[in-house]
Amino acid sequence: MSGNMAVYILKRILIAILIVFLVSVFAKALMHMLPGDPVRLAMGFEAKEEDVEAFRVRMNLDKPIHMQYILWVKGLFKGDMGWSVLYDRPNRDIFAERLPRSIAIGLPAVIISSVFAIIFGIICAVNRGKWSDQIITFLMTLGLGTPVFWLGIFGIYIFAIRLRVLPIQGFTSPFVNFGEYVRKAILPVACMSIPMIAGVARQTRTNMLDAINQDYVRTARAYGISERKIQMKYALKNALIPVVTIIGLQLRIVIGGSVLIENVFNIPGIGSLLVTAINNRDYFVVQNAVLLISIFTVSVNLLVDILYGFIDPKIRLERKGG
Amino acid sequence: MGERILEVRNLCTSFFTHEGEVKAVNDVSFHIDEQEIVAFVGESGCGKTVTQLSLLQIVPAPPGKITGGEVFFKGRDLLQHKPNSPEMRSVRGAGIAMIFQEPMTSLNPVFTVGHQLTDIIMLHRKVGHKEAWEMGIEALRSVEIPEPEVRMRNYPFELSGGMRQRVMIAMAVYCNPDIIIADEPTTALDVTTQAQVLELLVSLVKQHRKSLIIVTHNLGVVTRYVDRIYVMYAGRIIESGSTEEIMTKPRHPYTIGLLNSVPKIEKERSEKLIPIKGAPPWLIDMDPRCTFLPRCSYACEVCETKEFPKLRRLGESDHFIACHRDIAGSITGSTTGRLDSAGRHDLGGEAHG
Ligand SMILES: Nc1ncnc2c1ncn2[C@@H]1O[C@H](COP(=O)(O)OP(=O)(O)OP(=O)(O)O)[C@@H](O)[C@H]1O
Ligand SMILES: [Mg+2]
């Protein structure tokens, strides 16, 4: 890697840190703008006023918002994510419990969907207009148009209730019982993957068709390169460049989880945590979750950008040039 | 001249679009001999490129389709083979190599020049990667690209248009084909590089004893290199003959108009360029009569009534025209037929020489 590339990456990292900082400030500020008292919501309306006040002081919620922010960040550097008002537990424990569940569903979904999407996209483009293209394109449109929760309920009905081959819902850690994890993860992963497959496959198909009509493909053809090699090498590399960006955007789901999937399949992950926390004005949980997601998203974008450089020479060389 | 290497008979290629059948190539016949250089000339959209693409069966399909004809290359009819058959692919590059009109987009943007060059050399020269790379460097050197070792590792966008067209020429020559087709190889380049690239191409073709089909819409630039000329109009060849004949005794009104509209460096500045009036015809539902009729200043009654004239030989020569009239005696000046104030050619004028 050249020195310029290193400078470029360093610059990007600094920008990423700035973005994460701004997001954390916004998250904090926005939550406080919402009406509703987190302590009241957590303790219930029957709780005595002095108990509520004591809890508020213990949570630092009596302090001005900028103090709260500084205390939170200070804590983060010491590895302390603060306390959840709602669950009355350390946030670190909550996240440590829930994050692996979201990852265990989201990561396989993104990987599997990307692989299938690219394969489907290629099959469609190569057989453009033939029955295989038409069937897949139809299914893709269906997949994009079907609500995820409906897919989930349909899947549960067919595979868990009718056929009884899969469990209805729940989650088991792959480290506890891998077989059980797989059985429980199949449906949520599939439901999460279907819309992603549909989107990426359509993009791949369009890009492939676009590439196949380019002058450079005509050149390859004019020099006797086989159709297979033209498709799989000359067109595909061009077609995949924009697809990498889309897959990068989808990676957010790995850590952010999917609220709908987590609800339908009763998987207590980050998605459902975030929704519950927002509803209960659990500031500390929300701000940590937002921070986590933003750090992840920004890192993924950074990674995609660097990866992009390896596929698209134009970008790589522009960077080299400064 | 050597043996006849390519003989095309009654080639027809159409594009089947929503508006109807676009007859881009309409009953075109021509040939080229070993080591011969021929030119195809005509206005934009007259079917020059599609004719050449048809020889290699790389017309974009759909909507394009070769609807008839024969393409005898070294005695075999290429149209008997399916477009993607191994037989057809073995002709592409190794038998007939093509240089395209669009140097900026004809190379793949995400592979290095060397990668693309070696892929093709490996395929046609049956050599390993290392050897192909060396040959690629040699090929770039042969087209006078400076620092060929460095250029091999460049991506197309790092090269100028002229350099890219040189790469394309290197690619064509290093496949060792019998015929090279250069489709307006210099049109997209700036004027200063045009002459250099053309000179280079012709000298390589001569050095390697290849045949060359050069497509152009500016005859002025290529005449000194070419043996014969085919003039195309609206999908058809309407005049053909030796360069000498065509340049000094053009007999089809369109050719005359074309020659008048072309800037000639040797000529005096004062001589005005006369563009041909009107626009080429729509290639869908074509008039069965002469397609040049609406623009022709020599048209007479025969032209208004009869069908499109078949190509006919003029006397014993190799000069063919598709015109009802014989305007041989009616041309004023060799390539400088002038229009009078009424816009009609002065039929009474005599040739001056
Ligand atoms: N893909 C296509 N679909 C429909 N029509 C096409 C297609 N490609 C070419 N044509 C038509 O075929 C005709 C001949 O085109 P061609 O490219 O051979 O012209 P040309 O003589 O090479 O012109 P130019 O000097 O501009 O390169 C044109 O009228 C054009 O409209
Ligand atoms: Mg053309």
Side-chain angles (χ1 to χ4, degrees):
Chain A
M1 201 187 296
S2 74
N4 278 325
M5 187 78 174
V7 170
Y8 169 80
I9 293 176
L10 200 72
K11 245 199 294 194
R12 286 300 315 261
I13 291 175
L14 288 177
I15 293 173
I17 291 173
L18 184 69
I19 291 173
V20 167
F21 167 71
L22 290 176
V23 168
S24 69
V25 171
F26 272 118
K28 184 82 192 158
L30 275 173
M31 274 315 283
H32 283 261
M33 277 180 218
L34 283 179
D37 178 359
V39 184
R40 259 295 165 210
L41 283 166
M43 297 182 75
F45 286 91
E46 302 82 40
K48 273 191 262 147
E49 193 59 39
E50 56 255 47
D51 289 348
V52 170
E53 274 321 303
F55 195 43
R56 195 186 304 283
V57 171
R58 184 155 72 86
M59 296 274 92
N60 286 326
L61 281 170
D62 55 332
K63 301 203 169 55
I65 177 168
H66 65 272
M67 272 315 290
Q68 290 183 29
Y69 182 80
I70 290 168
L71 284 171
W72 169 46
V73 175
K74 258 190 188 163
L76 283 181
F77 280 105
K78 283 183 275 173
D80 175 14
M81 295 168 82
W83 202 267
S84 161
V85 180
L86 179 66
Y87 297 97
D88 200 12
R89 290 175 62 196
N91 283 327
R92 203 177 40 199
D93 293 356
I94 301 174
F95 280 91
E97 204 173 86
R98 291 186 172 240
L99 195 54
R101 298 186 192 131
S102 286
I103 295 174
I105 301 295
L107 193 61
V110 170
I111 293 171
I112 291 170
S113 68
S114 303
V115 171
F116 276 100
I118 290 171
I119 292 173
F120 284 155
I122 294 171
I123 292 176
C124 286
V126 167
N127 300 304
R128 181 192 188 171
K130 296 200 187 120
W131 62 268
S132 47
D133 175 27
Q134 286 178 350
I135 290 176
I136 294 175
T137 307
F138 174 73
L139 290 176
M140 293 300 119
T141 317
L142 211 63
L144 267 185
T146 315
V148 171
F149 69 89
W150 193 89
L151 272 177
I153 292 166
F154 184 71
I156 290 172
Y157 177 73
I158 298 286
F159 295 101
I161 296 173
R162 283 274 122 158
L163 302 175
R164 291 169 186 278
V165 285
L166 293 172
I168 292 178
Q169 55 180 30
F171 178 85
T172 304
S173 164
F175 301 108
V176 173
N177 183 342
F178 192 77
E180 199 54 29
Y181 156 71
V182 171
R183 275 167 46 77
K184 285 184 180 163
I186 285 179
L187 278 179
V189 166
C191 292
M192 202 185 259
S193 300
I194 284 171
M196 293 200 280
I197 293 179
V200 176
R202 287 216 316 196
Q203 188 68 39
T204 308
R205 177 183 186 273
T206 313
N207 292 348
M208 277 289 276
L209 288 178
D210 186 57
I212 283 170
N213 282 321
Q214 295 295 314
D215 288 342
Y216 53 78
V217 163
R218 184 182 61 186
T219 305
R221 229 175 246 149
Y223 282 85
I225 309 271
S226 73
E227 211 57 22
R228 188 46 37 100
K229 191 169 176 186
I230 286 175
Q231 287 159 349
M232 292 305 157
K233 181 171 175 179
Y234 292 82
L236 187 60
K237 194 171 177 190
N238 282 281
L240 283 189
I241 288 172
V243 171
V244 170
T245 316
I246 299 180
I247 294 175
L249 288 175
Q250 291 186 336
L251 272 173
R252 195 199 62 82
I253 214 166
V254 168
I255 195 154
S258 157
V259 183
L260 290 170
I261 296 283
E262 287 179 10
N263 275 338
V264 170
F265 292 98
N266 196 18
I267 301 165
I270 297 291
S272 49
L273 173 69
L274 192 55
V275 172
T276 315
I278 290 173
N279 285 338
N280 289 287
R281 309 289 183 269
D282 195 344
Y283 302 156
F284 300 107
V285 170
V286 175
Q287 66 203 29
N288 281 305
V290 169
L291 182 71
L292 206 65
I293 293 171
S294 73
I295 288 176
F296 183 77
T297 309
V298 164
S299 323
V300 165
N301 283 350
L302 193 65
L303 224 73
V304 166
D305 250 29
I306 294 168
L307 187 66
Y308 228 73
F310 286 102
I311 312 182
D312 191 347
K314 194 154 185 168
I315 292 177
R316 175 165 74 237
L317 284 145
E318 269 162 13
R319 279 178 201 166
K320 232 194 255 167
Chain B
M1 287 306 127
E3 302 252 304
R4 177 128 321 164
I5 189 146
L6 180 78
E7 170 104 41
V8 176
R9 292 192 200 136
N10 312 105
L11 182 68
C12 292
T13 303
S14 291
F15 292 96
F16 293 89
T17 66
H18 294 300
E19 288 95 62
E21 179 183 354
V22 180
K23 292 194 171 172
V25 179
N26 195 343
D27 199 17
V28 161
S29 303
F30 65 94
H31 62 86
I32 183 166
D33 296 338
E34 275 178 354
Q35 296 185 47
E36 203 182 13
I37 302 183
V38 301
F40 272 75
V41 63
E43 284 169 305
S44 189
C46 70
K48 306 181 296 291
T49 300
V50 177
T51 303
Q52 312 308 331
L53 297 179
S54 302
L55 307 184
L56 292 170
Q57 294 200 57
I58 51 171
V59 178
K65 189 176 190 303
I66 298 172
T67 52
E70 289 153 330
V71 175
F72 285 100
F73 174 67
K74 293 189 180 169
R76 292 185 300 154
D77 181 8
L78 297 182
L79 297 188
Q80 294 304 317
H81 303 299
K82 288 223 156 57
N84 291 324
S85 61
E87 292 86 356
M88 202 59 229
R89 279 199 279 120
S90 70
V91 171
R92 294 179 190 155
I96 305 173
M98 189 153 173
I99 297 160
F100 293 96
Q101 206 168 343
E102 304 87 1
M104 304 313 276
T105 50
S106 290
L107 289 166
N108 199 317
V110 299
F111 293 97
T112 60
V113 164
H115 192 143
Q116 297 179 57
L117 214 46
T118 45
D119 265 3
I120 286 166
I121 291 174
M122 275 157 71
L123 182 68
H124 293 299
R125 290 291 184 96
K126 309 268 179 288
V127 292
H129 185 267
K130 249 188 106 169
E131 231 175 309
W133 191 268
E134 290 305 317
M135 287 171 87
I137 294 174
E138 208 38 59
L140 293 190
R141 190 169 288 130
S142 75
V143 291
E144 294 161 18
I145 289 181
E147 299 182 281
E149 293 88 351
V150 180
R151 296 290 156 250
M152 284 288 275
R153 297 188 190 284
N154 280 160
Y155 288 88
F157 70 89
E158 298 174 83
L159 270 53
S160 69
M163 283 298 153
R164 290 189 216 184
Q165 205 59 307
R166 282 168 195 264
V167 171
M168 289 299 295
I169 293 173
M171 200 181 269
V173 172
Y174 262 70
C175 286
N176 200 21
D178 300 287
I179 303 173
I180 292 177
I181 299 172
D183 185 3
E184 308 202 26
T186 62
T187 311
L189 308 180
D190 63 83
V191 188
T192 47
T193 43
Q194 278 187 2
Q196 292 169 7
V197 170
L198 196 63
E199 182 71 42
L200 173 79
L201 172 66
V202 172
S203 76
L204 281 172
V205 164
K206 293 218 157 121
Q207 181 194 329
H208 292 268
R209 300 166 178 275
K210 310 289 182 206
S211 309
L212 175 67
I213 296 176
I214 186 156
V215 173
T216 178
H217 54 231
N218 186 350
L219 258 184
V221 187
V222 301
T223 38
R224 59 197 170 117
Y225 304 115
V226 302
D227 301 309
R228 283 184 305 112
I229 295 172
Y230 290 99
V231 184
M232 281 191 81
Y233 185 74
R236 292 185 174 103
I237 288 173
I238 51 92
E239 181 159 12
S240 70
S242 68
T243 307
E244 165 87 20
E245 282 273 323
I246 302 280
M247 295 308 286
T248 58
K249 290 179 240 146
R251 295 280 285 278
H252 194 290
Y254 174 67
T255 313
I256 296 166
L258 199 64
L259 291 173
N260 281 332
S261 65
V262 159
K264 286 196 87 181
I265 307 153
E266 308 94 71
K267 280 198 178 166
E268 297 157 42
R269 289 278 155 97
S270 62
E271 207 129 18
K272 262 180 55 193
L273 299 177
I274 309 160
I276 309 173
K277 298 175 297 175
W282 188 228
L283 296 177
I284 299 173
D285 294 328
M286 285 198 297
D287 194 332
R289 298 174 300 170
C290 176
T291 42
F292 191 58
L293 180 62
R295 303 171 77 183
C296 186
S297 40
Y298 297 94
C300 64
E301 242 181 79
V302 201
C303 311
E304 306 270 358
T305 49
K306 280 200 172 170
E307 282 203 350
F308 185 86
K310 286 225 164 353
L311 266 181
R312 64 187 163 95
R313 187 192 284 261
L314 293 174
E316 293 297 296
S317 69
D318 256 348
H319 195 158
F320 291 81
I321 58 166
C323 182
H324 293 299
R325 303 210 47 197
D326 190 356
I327 52 174
S330 60
I331 303 160
T332 54
S334 53
T335 62
T336 59
R338 257 170 242 148
L339 303 174
D340 64 19
S341 54
R344 291 258 159 180
H345 271 275
D346 175 10
L347 294 186
E350 38 172 15
H352 63 89

